[in-house]
Amino acid sequence: MRGPAEGRRSPQACDWPACAQKIVGHIEDSLCSTAIPQVTQALSVLTTAFGHCHGLWTQGLWVRLSPLVARLLEKDPVPASHSLVDLLLSVARSAPSSDRGLWETLAQTLSHLSPTQAGPLALGILKLQDCPQALRTQAFGILLQPLACVLEAAAQAPGPPGLLEGAAGDSMTVDTLLSSKSACVGLLCCALAHLGLLQPLPQRPSPWPQAPLLGAAVTILRLCSGSAAPTSDVGGRLCAILVGCGRVQRAALDFLGALSQGTGPQELVTQVFSVLLEYLVSPESSSMVLKKAFQATLRWLLSSPKTPGCCDLDPHTQLFLTELLPVLQKRLCSPCWEVRDSGLEFLTQMTRHWGGQAGFRQALLASEVPELTKQLLRDPESYVRASAVTATGQLSSWGLCASPECPGAQQESLLVELLHILSTDSEGFPRRAVMQVFTEWLRDGHADVAEDAERFVAGVLQAASRDLDWEVRAQGLELALVFLEQLLGQRGSHCPYAVALPETAPPGVLAQALQVLCRVQLFEFAFRALFDCDRPVAQKSCDLLLFLRAKAAPCGSPQEAGDSPNVASVEATLQRWQAGEQGQPLGYLEPGAVVALLRSVDLEGLRDTLAESSDHVEKSPQSLLQDMLAAVGVLGENEADCY
Amino acid sequence: MKLYCLSGHPTLPCNVLKFKSTTIMLDCGLDMTSTLNFLPLPLVQSPRLSNLPGWSLKDGNAFLDKELKECSGHVFVDSVPEFCLPETELIDLSTVDVILISNYHCMMALPYITEHTGFTGTVYATEPSVQIGRLLMEELVNFIERVPKAQSASLWKNKDIQRLLPSPLKDAVEVSTWRRCYTMQEVNSALSKIQLVGYSQKIELFGAVQVTPLSSGYALGSSNWIIQSHYEKVSYVSGSSLLTTHPQPMDQASLKNSDVLILTGLTQIPTANPDSMVGEFCSNLSQTVRNGGNVLVPCYPSGVIYDLLECLYQYIDSAGLSSIPFYFISPVANSSLEFSQIFAEWLCHNKQTKVYLPEPPFPHAELIQTNKLKHYPSIHGDFSNDFRQPCVVFTGHPSLRFGDVVHFMELWGKSSLNTVIFTEPDFSYLEALAPYQPLAMKCIYCPIDTRLNFIQVSKLLKEVQPLHVVCPEQYTQPPPAQSHRIDLMIDCQPPAMSYRRAEVLALPFKRRYEKIEIMPELADSLVPMEIKPGVSLATVSAVLHTKDNKHILQPPPRPAQPTGGKKRKRASDDIPDCKVLKPLLSGSIPVEQFVQTLEKHGFSDIKVEDTAKGHIVLLQEAETLIQIEEDSTHIICDNDEMLRVRLRDLVLKFLQKF
């Protein structure tokens, strides 16, 4: 059904075509039906309609159907509540903000639905751009209620006035929380998830009750760990329901992590760190809960205030760090690989951000964490090895891997060890991680790499070229590109406002660079990759060679090297490679031959071919025809018909 | 039915059940926590322990200084360690008919019961329970006997003196009943009274009850017991586990429909999940060894150690610990490791299948073969030649009061590189460590208790639905230190009945039926009459013969034939008189029809009144009442026998006779 031309008034039902009227009639009947699947279907159809069409006629449709929708709310329980919420939100997103009737329906729905059902609607309302403040307050209250109940139940003494003002736990929410474990867990997880989603949005309610929310998250986590000792009856029952519940723990830790973006009173922040540490220490924390605890801890650590006028960590963080590192140490020894893995990820992130902070460096070097991390390079689990590679790479970048006595020896051995992993590890993940570390080291000018970059690149490319994992090969090209950029200057910036760099390199630099590139056998690697069976590798190689060609534009004339027998044989080899026979090596290439080759190979054409999606053949008319012919079955007889 | 509770320890139970004229002892656990009050018995002369100052009263009176020593700020008894026995006064233990053992940890008091109480009955236990129980007893006796102690302290036990002592000695209970360890001779004698049983085997006790062991999933050969008569069923659940460890899984289905379920031996650490604790164990072990420290694991020679060794088997290579030696030191180490491999039928399915492959069920065999695990009977001898550090040592006793562990505590306690990891939950680790303080070595508490936790109990009770649950009082309230944790108690309906040491419980359970057999010839003579579709009745005249708790109905003896002349009375002639019985009546009287019948027979002025139990028919003229109730009818008239008989006959018309 197409909408009327812009500017015309909303057409009345009588103006609608017969088929539309029939559809609407059917939807009306369905909405009045007692069969829930029918109601659900009607609501879904309307949701789709309101979601996709914003014509004037939709308003007319809503005017006609809204009384029927409102009537659904009178039933107890409200049928198809999920679909109803979807519909109302869909309508609210497309309706003008002046539609009072709609806001009233939304308010009514919020109060009719059970706390669990009302959550998604409340979140949807709070995400709307224009919405009456009263409705927003009501919706926010619904999201806050479960947490208010928990705070109230767990309070040792009556809480300060105004705690989650306007959202004091109502009896319905308390009943839901205490009715069964699944209801309680469901409601709390939804509330936490919804508030977590709301937190970073610009349209989140203001003022945002950061402190009570922090208190609630901490309380929930304590109830779940059994460390809270509520005195009230409701608190005791909540504790019995929640203790050891991994789902709520995960949701609360996620929420706590989201809250790190805001500030809070120091006392509460201390509580946050203490509960996080409790979770990190506790042997009862499952691997998933630990992962979330590590993530939340990282977020809180990174958001902790810096001491004014000093680049070092504040005393609280420093103190926390001294307690945290022994825990991390123990976690890195865990028999559960997921735990070792999340511990390493945490370490990597922490080092990435704090590698330069003296306090962090001191604490880390005093611990056994760097040594343990290195030992995990030989972990039996490939994911852990991969994370250990990334972590040691990061530690090494900040000079945190080496013992102060003989830094050189330690670093070199790490380089050798990573190269060993790259060439021998049976799993792809650690090899990919090594390539990423090497690329980063090269880019950042890691001391040991910078010492003899040429040898380093040659070794890495040699190992990567033989790798069966396409991601390793692709990462090899990434490393090659970094190397190229270091030799020849940056690629053209994608930023339109950046100062344009000269496209070509000065001839002297170029000749020298080409010599180096030939020595590290970068071309062999790149040309082999050009005909790689994995498209992303070929694409990356194509880009790299195009970049190189652009840089090499002024170097020599096409005829000079192009006619040499060397180039002819290389071209022949390349053709064989393209045909899939990649056994023969390219042999040593002269810079001149390389430039000639770059010109002779149709890189643009190749790029265009590669740019086509892998299913372009299937989508082509030729393929369609073949499909049709195949479907018809007897090719010969029906050929004429198809044409 | 009565339950005599002889032990207050929930995981080391000792109860006596009186049921249908049998007296059954359920387990005889030995509370060894009393040994924590004693000084450790060092295997190697310890200058520290042998030169401790004697303790004197506040007023300086030092008469106890030979018996009590001050060590690390605590007072300990300097004597051979003693154990707290089950109550022996509550019931005459010589009357106990049988003792049912549920697992090897719950039989450690057996020699005290079988050898010193006049016990003459039989003990029933599974083979692994007996064999491993023997190992535990042997180890205990060995640990204590190889460090002979000249003196035995008894002065301090005097109640008036005990009052003056510092805690925890002051608060120790039943000290007068504490006894020294038994001898190997007593152990052998006690074990000789055991009869071996297999899972699901039905054992008749005097024809009165049948007892059956069921797999409880906790340890090799561990059992729960069903004690049942024809119409009553008591389940005894002790030390059960639903986790997948080495033993056969728990048989839950057979516990269904119990009248009473006695529930003991739940996990002692309900807040610690065994899996997490194993993880913690491995992490700490690895961390210590990587730092060049030694790890000491005080443990029993059987049980969790098998699972720990299996975990380590999987873990050591991945953690880069392949070169670290693992030592298992116990006088029974060799037997324990070998026994575990031969009890195939008592193992979990996974391990049972390995028996058919050329590999042993437990991987510790491979650890031994590859020299990663070495076992020794003691620290003396070969061990001292092979000993290499850093290493991991598994040795007993978990109380840290005797056994080779005492030596390692003295040896390694001063270095912070070393770690002691407590995995057995039976002893408070802080109390165990008290005589070794101050201690530099790290102490990690990872109690691994695979027995049921409260969530599992709650599911189990929902599943098996016993009419009544009986359990130690500790399970009916949250732990004292965590009074808000209402999830850490048994929650069932009707609420569980609780017991404590030295209490006698009358179980809420009445016997209603008894099975009686009918002899075939008597059954032949019966003439059933169908009183309603599917229900037939017959009257039986017979003699009830009861012997060995079996009841049999035999045909009544024929009336004595006149023997003519000779009248000699013999015992067999002394038979009960068989009176001619009146027929039995059945059916109900429809009041309206009855009234109509009365009217037909000339009664008038009839009034009917409804009562709570039936009706009263009042014949006003005749001044007679007929009270009709569900199971009785009374005719009350004033000395008019004729009238009564007439009315009776009218009533009888409505009833069936047979």
Side-chain angles (χ1 to χ4, degrees), chain B residues 384-549:
Chain B
S384 43
N385 300 329
D386 299 349
F387 183 47
R388 198 155 51 79
Q389 302 187 72
C391 62
V392 180
V393 171
F394 293 88
T395 189
H397 186 269
S399 65
L400 305 191
R401 292 302 178 271
F402 37 82
D404 302 87
V405 74
V406 175
H407 175 70
F408 287 101
M409 284 304 296
E410 293 282 308
L411 185 71
W412 289 344
K414 292 169 204 75
S415 168
S416 61
L417 280 179
N418 303 324
T419 304
V420 52
I421 308 183
F422 291 87
T423 55
E424 302 288 355
D426 289 353
F427 300 91
S428 146
Y429 79 104
L430 288 174
E431 283 181 46
L433 289 170
Y436 301 95
Q437 299 292 3
L439 209 58
M441 81 193 294
K442 284 195 282 287
C443 302
I444 306 290
Y445 186 52
C446 304
I448 299 170
D449 196 334
T450 56
R451 286 172 281 203
L452 298 176
N453 62 30
F454 290 99
I455 298 171
Q456 291 164 336
V457 165
S458 154
K459 280 186 190 156
L460 176 75
L461 293 180
K462 271 187 196 140
E463 175 114 5
V464 305
Q465 296 199 322
L467 286 182
H468 300 282
V469 175
V470 180
C471 64
E473 64 172 350
Q474 290 91 332
Y475 297 160
T476 57
Q477 57 219 13
Q482 292 164 297
S483 54
H484 65 286
R485 293 290 299 269
I486 53 172
D487 55 316
L488 302 182
M489 56 188 271
I490 290 178
D491 179 23
C492 65
Q493 281 307 325
M497 286 185 75
S498 68
Y499 66 79
R500 61 171 77 174
R501 189 181 167 103
E503 208 169 57
V504 183
L505 285 191
L507 297 182
F509 168 65
K510 279 193 181 135
R511 287 172 49 205
R512 286 166 299 171
Y513 299 106
E514 192 60 87
K515 189 175 174 179
I516 299 177
E517 284 178 22
I518 299 181
M519 295 293 281
E521 56 267 39
L522 177 64
D524 267 353
S525 68
L526 298 182
V527 186
M529 203 173 96
E530 192 169 49
I531 55 157
K532 62 179 176 184
V535 179
S536 297
L537 289 180
T539 52
V540 183
S541 300
V543 173
L544 180 67
H545 184 83
T546 297
K547 187 182 170 187
D548 289 345
N549 292 308

Side-chain angles (χ1 to χ4, degrees), chain B residues 189-210:
Chain B
S189 172
L191 297 182
S192 68
K193 297 181 173 72
I194 297 182
Q195 193 166 319
L196 298 182
V197 291
Y199 288 147
S200 304
Q201 183 182 334
K202 292 178 169 53
I203 304 135
E204 284 282 336
L205 300 185
F206 318 113
V209 294
Q210 198 180 55

Side-chain angles (χ1 to χ4, degrees), chain A residues 440-457:
Chain A
E440 218 165 292
W441 279 6
L442 185 66
R443 186 179 288 132
D444 300 344
H446 188 287
D448 296 291
V449 172
E451 211 171 73
D452 191 352
E454 204 179 308
R455 212 178 100 201
F456 167 75
V457 172

Side-chain angles (χ1 to χ4, degrees), chain A residues 225-226 228-230 236-237 239-240 243 281 283-284 326 329-331 333-335 340 368 372 375 379-380, chain B residues 271-274 276-280 282-284 286-287 290-291 315 317-319 455 482 484-487:
Chain A
S225 69
R237 283 161 70 193
C239 184
V243 76
V281 170
E284 297 301 317
Q329 212 164 295
K330 193 179 78 181
R331 293 301 183 191
C333 293
S334 168
R340 299 198 295 276
E368 290 141 29
L372 270 175
Q375 287 180 18
D379 198 277
Chain B
T271 50
N273 170 7
S276 317
M277 289 298 125
V278 171
E280 195 72 359
C282 290
S283 306
N284 284 295
S286 152
Q287 207 183 331
R290 279 176 208 251
N291 286 339
Y315 178 63
D317 285 334
S318 66
I455 298 171
Q482 292 164 297
H484 65 286
R485 293 290 299 269
I486 53 172
D487 55 316

Side-chain angles (χ1 to χ4, degrees), chain A residues 4-179:
Chain A
E6 284 300 314
R8 275 181 58 185
R9 284 187 62 240
S10 163
Q12 295 304 306
C14 53
D15 301 339
W16 293 356
C19 66
Q21 294 208 23
K22 205 163 181 183
I23 293 170
V24 173
H26 178 70
I27 291 174
E28 281 176 334
D29 290 346
S30 300
L31 286 176
C32 298
S33 165
T34 49
I36 292 178
Q38 224 167 324
V39 179
T40 311
Q41 210 171 26
L43 292 171
S44 303
V45 168
L46 289 174
T47 307
T48 316
F50 285 109
H52 290 87
C53 317
H54 301 288
L56 282 172
W57 65 271
T58 52
Q59 288 172 32
L61 185 64
W62 178 244
V63 170
R64 179 165 163 184
L65 295 179
S66 58
L68 294 178
V69 172
R71 215 172 290 161
L72 292 175
L73 293 174
E74 291 161 12
K75 298 183 182 169
D76 189 27
V78 177
S81 59
H82 274 93
S83 308
L84 181 63
V85 166
D86 289 346
L87 171 64
L88 290 174
L89 287 174
S90 181
V91 175
R93 283 183 206 114
S94 59
S97 56
S98 57
D99 189 345
R100 280 191 55 194
L102 173 67
W103 303 132
E104 275 166 21
T105 310
L106 284 172
Q108 210 185 346
T109 314
L110 278 179
S111 51
H112 272 78
L113 293 179
S114 72
T116 319
Q117 293 166 331
L121 181 61
L123 177 68
I125 289 170
L126 289 167
K127 279 181 173 174
L128 293 174
Q129 296 291 346
D130 296 309
C131 172
Q133 187 55 41
L135 184 62
R136 282 173 65 81
T137 309
Q138 187 189 357
F140 196 38
I142 289 202
L143 293 187
L144 294 178
Q145 258 166 17
L147 304 198
C149 289
V150 171
L151 269 183
E152 201 177 296
Q156 296 290 342
L163 194 71
L164 297 195
E165 211 166 351
D170 72 342
S171 63
M172 202 160 141
T173 312
V174 175
D175 289 347
T176 312
L177 283 173
L178 299 180
S179 63

